[in-house]
């Protein structure tokens, strides 16, 4: 099914994607003045809905943007999109823009936001081979400084993904000017050393990943210790394990970064355990 | 005239702005995967057309994006927009997006770009009071690292402009983490000390301003010396003059930054001279 034949949500209406359009004066298009969320759809269930809504509300609030819909309605939108398009596994995408106006950096507080959402199908996580581990490609982190706001200013990530793809890697690993490993182009990144999970601190310098947040709780319930601090690429290369988390991929073990093999080159024991726990938890939710 | 009643250009057609729309799957909207140009319209003339086209071509090339139109056709578009809308003074806006596809950071080389352009009216430069000098507000430079590519990843600039507006300032002055003054939120920034014009070097850290480039040539022809090097906010406060350049404002003297008066608090002699020369040059072009 071509994506333009799917049914999408736009400002209250469920319409064919080919008819879903916004003005060229929309500030999402002119200034990337927009926030978004991506949520997993797993076996018909919307993963971590409340946490994604909390983050959406925070992103909107940081940008002085009103939330066009009450929280409960977003759940109805996602459920109807899955049902209308007959999709059981994949991801939901939701975007809110500040709205349309004559081009001016300054915005009016009275603007009407635009909101749209769609669902894209993907193989169920269990049917992908990501549990076998993936390779990554390290690149400089070119992004702006407010990475904690989930905005559509994503060209740095697009360029990193292109470089990773050209290098035959699953995702890019971003390293900032101070040599700190921040995260992947579209996922959170963890290392494990001596049975301790290490993750960057939750600051403005990283996206506050929802699956990351859930996985830290899962680790805690499994009596695994997690430490939040910055680490360098050298520390990654000597880690016992490394793994990614993301809403449409859950937990993915990382076995190599460019020419550097992580641990014994096999998916990490802790990464696989967290992945199983997360999938079991989602299946039972 | 409401902006939605104006005639705009979209992919070859001249249509009412209210009908000019792009798919919600356009990568300009989802990833800010788009470049743009803003050009001055002064007394019916398109300012610095060839230089803007050179920069557009460079931005597209840096992002592996094809140019949808030959250079000469853009001039026809601008001239027709001015004529259809009966606008003599203002600015042209031109944007090229990578096109629409199902959401994926990775793009295909075969995508069809979308191109649109519009004109917005403004008072003629000579009828504004910017020659009297403006105040600015200093803020941290939050932008990404490839500021030399003129993309729509502009949320950092939007936030800076909002802060400047709230502080009663004409524009924001961006200062990076190393204490270097890069530029204004939407204009280039210069200082003058002991009759030497000082401007940041042309690197990936600043936008390569077209009016900036022309003004450097004008200064050269006036036998004024220009030095390209980084400078700090402290150096700005002790400068003899400061000024902005931009395609829709030409040269604007800066007389104050927050509570710090520049020079004697009056528009600088060199800034005003460059402004007059630029306006005369454009009028005679």
């Amino acid at each position: 099914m071509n994506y333009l034949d799917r049914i999408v949500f736009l400002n209250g209406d469920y319409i064919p994607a080919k008819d879903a359009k916004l003005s060229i004066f929309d500030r999402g298009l002119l200034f990337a003045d927009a926030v978004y969320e991506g949520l997993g759809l797993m076996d018909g269930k919307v993963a971590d809905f409340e946490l994604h809504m909390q983050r959406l509300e925070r992103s909107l609030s940081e940008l002085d943007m009103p939330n066009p819909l009450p929280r409960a309605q977003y759940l109805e939108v996602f459920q109807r999109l899955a049902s209308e398009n007959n999709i059981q596994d994949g991801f939901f995408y939701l975007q809110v823009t500040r709205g349309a106006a004559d081009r001016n950096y300054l915005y009016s507080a009275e603007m009407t936001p635009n909101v749209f959402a769609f669902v894209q199908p993907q193989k169920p996580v269990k049917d992908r081979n990501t549990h076998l581990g993936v390779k990554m490609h390290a690149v400089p982190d070119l992004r702006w400084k407010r990475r904690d706001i989930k905005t559509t200013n994503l060209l740095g990530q697009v360029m990193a993904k292109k470089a990773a793809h050209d290098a035959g890697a699953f995702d890019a690993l971003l390293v900032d000017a101070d040599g700190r490993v921040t995260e992947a182009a579209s996922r959170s990144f963890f290392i494990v050393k001596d049975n301790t999970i290490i993750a960057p601190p939750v600051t403005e310098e990283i996206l506050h990943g929802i699956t990351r947040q859930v996985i830290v709780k899962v680790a805690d319930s499994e009596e695994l210790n997690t430490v939040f601090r910055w680490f360098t690429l050298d520390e990654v290369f000597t880690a016992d394990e490394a793994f990614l988390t993301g809403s449409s991929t859950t937990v993915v073990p990382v076995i190599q970064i460019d020419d550097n093999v992580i641990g014994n080159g096999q998916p990490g024991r802790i990464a696989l355990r967290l992945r199983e726990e997360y999938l079991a938890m989602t299946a039972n939710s």
Side-chain angles (χ1 to χ4, degrees), chain A:
Chain A
M1 185 189 207
N2 184 286
Y3 76 97
L4 291 176
D5 294 325
R6 290 204 303 268
I7 298 295
V8 303
F9 173 84
L10 174 61
N11 292 330
D13 296 319
Y14 295 86
I15 56 177
K18 65 180 175 349
D19 301 327
K21 296 181 178 184
L22 288 180
S23 170
I24 61 166
F25 289 90
D26 188 278
R27 289 178 62 94
L29 199 58
L30 299 181
F31 295 108
D33 195 358
V35 301
Y36 75 102
E37 283 294 325
L39 299 84
L41 167 60
M42 289 187 255
D43 198 21
K45 290 172 186 159
V46 186
D48 304 320
F49 173 76
E50 296 291 336
L51 294 174
H52 281 281
M53 289 300 106
Q54 280 171 24
R55 186 171 64 183
L56 174 69
E57 288 158 13
R58 180 179 180 277
S59 294
L60 290 166
S61 159
E62 288 292 315
L63 299 178
D64 282 326
M65 234 185 263
N67 193 346
L69 298 179
R71 194 184 277 200
Q73 201 176 331
Y74 287 109
L75 188 59
E76 285 175 33
V77 167
F78 293 139
Q79 287 167 337
R80 179 147 169 200
L81 285 174
S83 146
E84 291 262 4
N85 294 289
N86 198 22
I87 292 174
Q88 288 285 303
D89 287 275
F91 73 93
F92 296 106
Y93 179 87
L94 166 67
Q95 184 170 329
V96 181
T97 79
R98 199 184 297 274
D102 216 1
R103 188 177 187 275
N104 187 337
Y105 282 91
L106 294 175
Y107 53 85
S108 146
E110 278 78 46
M111 295 187 65
T112 306
N114 283 311
V115 54
F116 61 90
F118 54 81
V119 60
Q120 284 184 200
Q122 278 185 316
K123 267 192 203 172
V125 172
K126 63 177 167 23
D127 297 345
R128 299 180 224 161
N129 58 8
T130 47
H131 63 284
L132 301 177
V134 298
K135 296 179 184 179
M136 296 183 74
H137 172 55
V139 298
D141 193 341
L142 301 179
R143 299 174 302 162
W144 77 318
K145 295 196 187 304
R146 288 304 304 275
R147 300 154 190 171
D148 58 313
I149 313 175
K150 199 166 171 74
T151 81
T152 56
N153 291 247
L154 292 170
L155 198 47
Q157 286 91 320
V158 166
M159 290 167 78
K161 287 274 190 182
K162 173 76 163 67
H165 179 260
D166 290 350
F170 179 75
D171 202 343
L173 186 60
L174 309 180
V175 185
D176 77 9
D178 298 324
R180 303 180 302 187
V181 171
T182 52
E183 53 197 320
S186 67
R187 295 173 181 96
S188 305
F189 184 76
F190 297 74
I191 57 175
V192 180
K193 184 74 178 177
D194 299 332
N195 292 313
T196 294
I197 299 166
I198 308 168
V202 178
T203 63
E204 293 182 355
E205 285 145 305
I206 62 161
L207 180 73
H208 304 172
I210 298 301
T211 311
R212 170 194 154 112
Q213 186 180 334
V214 175
I215 285 298
V216 166
K217 277 192 188 157
V218 169
D220 195 50
S221 71
E222 296 280 301
E223 298 188 346
L224 289 163
N225 188 31
T226 305
V227 170
F228 297 94
R229 65 167 174 82
W230 295 110
F231 50 82
T232 64
L233 213 41
D234 279 341
E235 201 171 349
V236 174
F237 297 156
T238 56
D240 300 327
E241 300 186 23
F243 62 90
L244 295 163
T245 61
S247 54
S248 67
T249 41
T250 72
V251 180
V252 175
V254 176
I255 54 177
Q256 192 171 327
I257 293 161
D258 295 309
D259 292 334
N260 307 277
V261 170
I262 308 295
N264 60 4
Q266 297 299 313
R269 187 178 51 83
I270 290 178
L272 290 179
R273 183 168 149 202
L274 293 172
R275 178 184 166 105
E276 289 310 311
E277 286 295 328
Y278 181 81
L279 289 176
M281 201 178 70
T282 308
N284 296 327
S285 68

